[in-house]
Amino acid sequence: MAINRRSFLKVSAAGGGGLLLGLYTQPKASAQGRGGPAPAPPDPHVYVKINRDNTVTIMAKNPEVGQGVKTMLPMLIAEELDVDWKSVKIEQTDFDDTKYATQFAGGSLATPQNWVPMRQVGAAGRALMIKAAAQTWTVPESECSTSAGKVLHKASNRSLTYGELADKAWAMPMPDLKTLKFKDPAEYTIIGKPQRQRELPAIVKGEPIFGIDVTVPGMLFAVYQKCPVFGGKVANANLDEIKQMPGVRQAFVIDRPDITEPVLPNDPGLESGIAILADTWWQAQSARKKLQVTWNEGPRANDSQSSAVFAQRAQELSTQKPHKTIRADGDAEANLGSAAKVVEAAYSYPFISHAPLEPQNCTAHVKDGKCEIWTNSQIPQGGRGLVAKALEVPERDVTLHMVRGGGGFGRRLTNDYMVEAAYIAKTAGVPVKLLWAREDDMTHDYYRPGGFQFLKAGVDGSGKVVAWRNHFVSYGSFDAQKGDVRFANAAAMGPTEFPQRFVPNYALHTSVMELGIRTGALRAPSSNAFAFVIQSFIDELAHAAGKDPVQFRLDLLAAGGPAPQAAPGPFAAPGLNAERMKGVVQLVAEKSDWGKGDLPKGRAKGVAFHFSHQGYFAEVAEVSVDAAKKVKVHKVWVAADVGSQIINPSGAENIVQGAIIDGMSELMHQEITVEKGRVVETNYNQHGMVRMAQAPPEIEVHFLKTDNPPTGLGEPSLPPILPAVANAIFTASGTRVRSLPISKSGFSWA
Amino acid sequence: MAYKLNVNGRSATVDASPDTPLLWVLRDVLNLHGTKYGCGIGQCGACTVQLGGRAVRSCQTPVSAVGNAAVLTVEGLSTDGTHPVQIAWQEIDVPQCGYCQAGQMMSAAALLARTPKPTDKDIDSAMNGNLCRCGTYLRIRQAIHKAAELATSASARTVQTAQNGSR
């Protein structure tokens, strides 16, 4: 089943956390709706191999891009299987939707989607071992117990290892999943204990484990030159000259829009371009530097497709009637008129690039109508569909091997590089490793959409927020006749975006601008920008009301009713639960000694919270700002509620600390500028990130365990840090920054 | 052009154009894939190797400029993953994606060779050329301190063993 990328557009009404759930669950849901295959059941035969020496091999099914899932999912199986973690070997699976349930990395969904089924795999395996042992000893199963890869019969002091039982156990019928009993968390020996990533030895020895390291006998190295303007086409190029360059074996133009027609308004499908294949990548890349191409740049290459024009146009739109009203509760206008204090502010944030450190690459071999691919895609299923379509072969003839990715951050949720590699390999007739240069990666991304928010809110005499109006100017298309707005990919705001439900008179309007570049999901999509705007503006309101920023937030959270129930169906995701958010705000205030003690002049703490991907995060940053606008983040405190269990505390802490640093990079360094439909920034010198000396020396991470199912943390941990630092900057310096990156307002790291 | 290189203590003759960056000679000619490509302009440090004991960006080092200087890559840090930085990186569970870590370790090993007991400031300064997109800096710093400890106690042990042996 091919993922239809139109599903990206089907924005869930849940807002915040619900947005991405829709994206990922849609393909499976529609497959079932069409009578397609149900998700593969949790079957130990598929995931677990018990070896003769009583070691256990556990299959890891999801793409590993640094989130630690290759260690984390097998931990769930091993715990309930009841084996010694040291006896476990982990193997990465291929992509195979007939054997494994969903195989993708995104939406912080690995934990919520696999918490039950992966433990069922382990528990079912353990049940089979007990059954086999009980039968061998002719004793009741109830008298048998397990420990570290053995079944024990204490009454007779007998034991058998899983290795000894495996043949018999694996031949028995599967137990009914409903009869399986999970361990009491108090008995856990693996889950909840810090476990090191299993690929550490390979990483520290520099073993060839990443996509870029894949080697296939006889392969050529490829570069692919595309038009700087999305959707542009090759008119002509000096290919004869290129073919004479050292090491170059082939050079050809690809222009087949007919087989991968645009599936999104801003998505050119398989982009037109020039493939150069050589004996080494450097030879291909050197030849590319001699390319002389005349492009038909197409309609996107016009002056209106420029960042400066977008900013100006957004300003104009903000003063006009909105294209659409997304939500209106009460009467915002009237209550703005009667509020004791009114604050009005315009916020903006730019396009940014994912820029994972490993540039996009893919190795492909097409032979006898079959295609073999080595990829670090975050959503291999989508890539398989795209490749099958481009190569005009059935999906079953496309084999995908999953290799480690050097970072993902959402970039590898689109498979443009995969279809390029496959099509180049097919055309060339030899195995091909396609590697994008960093410049390709930065200029042909699916960017985090920029946006503009024109806010006005009022507080009453007691400091309560009584009205909130937001005119959200984003990207997409506007059908004036129908009055309908279609947002560009990942550029939507839902009707339940905070503080909806917490402010009685709430209006959310939108207007959109046509966009010629591609946009997509970047770690904590929409939240990574919205949290900055909303939590900064809430801070402005707190100061206007003369209230402490933590207390003001707690009061605001107290103003909402209970969380709405999740709607049934594939988009199910409960909305923000105010009690859970209050819990983390209170915890972060306590841990950071909020409001206690005096800080020197120019040094202050800032606070923010955000709910996304079912995770509750509140963060405090202690920041100093000097007269030259040099900023130092001295310490960050994080309080998180992602449910009852942190599966791997070592990985969890690492990821959350990384999210803080990642968010600081977005705050200070990152902006993609568009000029006449092309992207200006090409490399890390123009789109930078935090370096070691700039990172906070200390990031304390506190998990508040609550009686809720475990959920993910890679994404929800990021959004609050941007406003937490920005709010601290305001308190420390008196300057309110309303536009990202803050370097454009003269700030830099100390 | 043929170049005779000394890579990880072994002599290797490679055929490459003079401007070929050492990075691509290591990766595509010598099949040493531990050294990574990230930016190609000396900004990210993923390609860091040691040249005559100094940490350099191999993407900015043409093969023609290498000469007789000893090239050390992550594969040459130890034969079995037991260099103090390799042990410390594992003990602290440093990496997320791991892509930058070979470069980080090569910079760290060069630092420790000249400054066996680095301060946080020494570390910040030596590691300034190595980006980590996942943001594992706190653990990298911790691991460098750990590696310094391991190296010191290892050399203390070596000294003691030598003294014991001389009796």
Side-chain angles (χ1 to χ4, degrees), chain B residues 47-62:
Chain B
C47 68
T48 306
V49 300
Q50 289 179 18
L51 196 61
R54 279 188 322 118
V56 300
R57 313 299 165 215
S58 64
C59 77
Q60 297 299 297
T61 309

Side-chain angles (χ1 to χ4, degrees), chain A residues 62 79 136 179 183 241 266 339 463 525 557 580 742:
Chain A
N62 275 17
E79 180 69 71
T136 307
T179 66
K183 279 185 183 176
E241 192 185 329
N266 295 319
L557 285 167
R580 294 183 71 181
I742 64 171

Side-chain angles (χ1 to χ4, degrees), chain A residues 66 196-197 200 204 206 210 212-213 281-282 354 404 407 409 437-438 650 653-654 658 662 683 690-691 696, chain B residues 21 24 27-28 34 36-39 43 86 90-91 93-97 100 105 128 133-134 137-139:
Chain A
R196 296 182 182 119
Q197 270 207 65
L200 275 172
V204 301
F210 293 91
I212 196 174
D213 304 330
W281 187 78
W282 181 252
H354 297 83
R404 191 178 183 89
F409 310 102
R438 171 58 53 198
S650 177
E653 182 202 58
N654 203 355
D662 194 359
N683 211 314
V690 164
R691 292 179 186 270
Chain B
W24 297 107
R27 287 190 59 85
D28 290 356
K36 293 293 189 273
Y37 166 64
C39 69
Q43 281 285 314
Q86 290 173 311
Q90 295 184 76
E91 281 195 12
D93 194 18
V94 170
Q96 286 180 35
C97 83
C100 73
M105 289 190 296
N128 191 49
R133 175 70 181 86
C134 304
Y137 297 125
L138 272 63
R139 288 193 177 187

Side-chain angles (χ1 to χ4, degrees), chain A residues 368-429:
Chain A
D368 304 329
K370 294 189 196 269
C371 181
E372 192 170 9
I373 282 176
W374 292 261
T375 180
N376 48 30
S377 170
Q378 289 178 246
I379 187 157
Q381 186 170 31
R384 186 181 62 171
L386 203 56
V387 168
K389 193 172 165 194
L391 267 47
E392 298 168 276
V393 298
E395 288 195 2
R396 64 174 179 275
D397 289 340
V398 180
T399 302
L400 297 182
H401 306 292
M402 291 159 63
V403 283
R404 191 178 183 89
F409 310 102
R411 176 58 183 89
R412 301 186 215 277
L413 286 169
T414 41
N415 292 291
D416 42 348
Y417 51 92
M418 194 196 292
V419 72
E420 287 173 8
Y423 201 85
I424 292 169
K426 183 193 175 189
T427 310

Side-chain angles (χ1 to χ4, degrees), chain A residues 364-503:
Chain A
H365 188 196
V366 182
K367 201 182 169 202
D368 304 329
K370 294 189 196 269
C371 181
E372 192 170 9
I373 282 176
W374 292 261
T375 180
N376 48 30
S377 170
Q378 289 178 246
I379 187 157
Q381 186 170 31
R384 186 181 62 171
L386 203 56
V387 168
K389 193 172 165 194
L391 267 47
E392 298 168 276
V393 298
E395 288 195 2
R396 64 174 179 275
D397 289 340
V398 180
T399 302
L400 297 182
H401 306 292
M402 291 159 63
V403 283
R404 191 178 183 89
F409 310 102
R411 176 58 183 89
R412 301 186 215 277
L413 286 169
T414 41
N415 292 291
D416 42 348
Y417 51 92
M418 194 196 292
V419 72
E420 287 173 8
Y423 201 85
I424 292 169
K426 183 193 175 189
T427 310
V430 291
V432 167
K433 172 151 80 181
L434 169 71
L435 170 62
W436 288 14
R438 171 58 53 198
E439 290 79 6
D440 296 317
D441 203 310
M442 201 164 280
T443 56
H444 287 268
D445 198 356
Y446 288 77
Y447 303 92
R448 189 285 298 275
F452 305 83
Q453 298 188 28
F454 298 88
L455 290 148
K456 195 171 180 181
V459 290
D460 67 13
S462 69
K464 184 174 180 284
V465 186
V466 290
W468 177 289
R469 188 190 70 192
N470 188 356
H471 189 165
F472 170 56
V473 180
S474 186
Y475 298 94
S477 55
F478 173 50
D479 183 331
Q481 280 183 332
K482 290 186 187 156
D484 202 21
V485 161
R486 200 175 156 92
F487 288 106
N489 190 20
M493 189 184 287
T496 60
E497 192 64 47
F498 191 79
Q500 184 275 325
R501 177 157 75 80
F502 296 85
V503 177

Side-chain angles (χ1 to χ4, degrees), chain A residues 571-633:
Chain A
F571 299 117
L576 189 160
N577 177 321
E579 285 306 309
R580 294 183 71 181
M581 191 59 88
K582 273 164 69 180
V584 293
V585 172
Q586 282 164 339
L587 180 62
V588 83
E590 176 200 320
K591 294 292 179 187
S592 65
D593 284 332
W594 181 268
K596 290 182 196 155
D598 282 332
L599 291 170
K601 191 174 180 298
R603 185 160 170 159
K605 287 173 187 155
V607 65
F609 68 76
H610 193 74
F611 167 70
S612 63
H613 301 275
Q614 301 306 304
Y616 295 78
F617 280 77
E619 297 169 3
V620 167
E622 184 171 327
V623 174
S624 59
V625 186
D626 72 10
K629 291 189 157 184
K630 298 270 185 199
V631 177
K632 176 73 193 171
V633 180

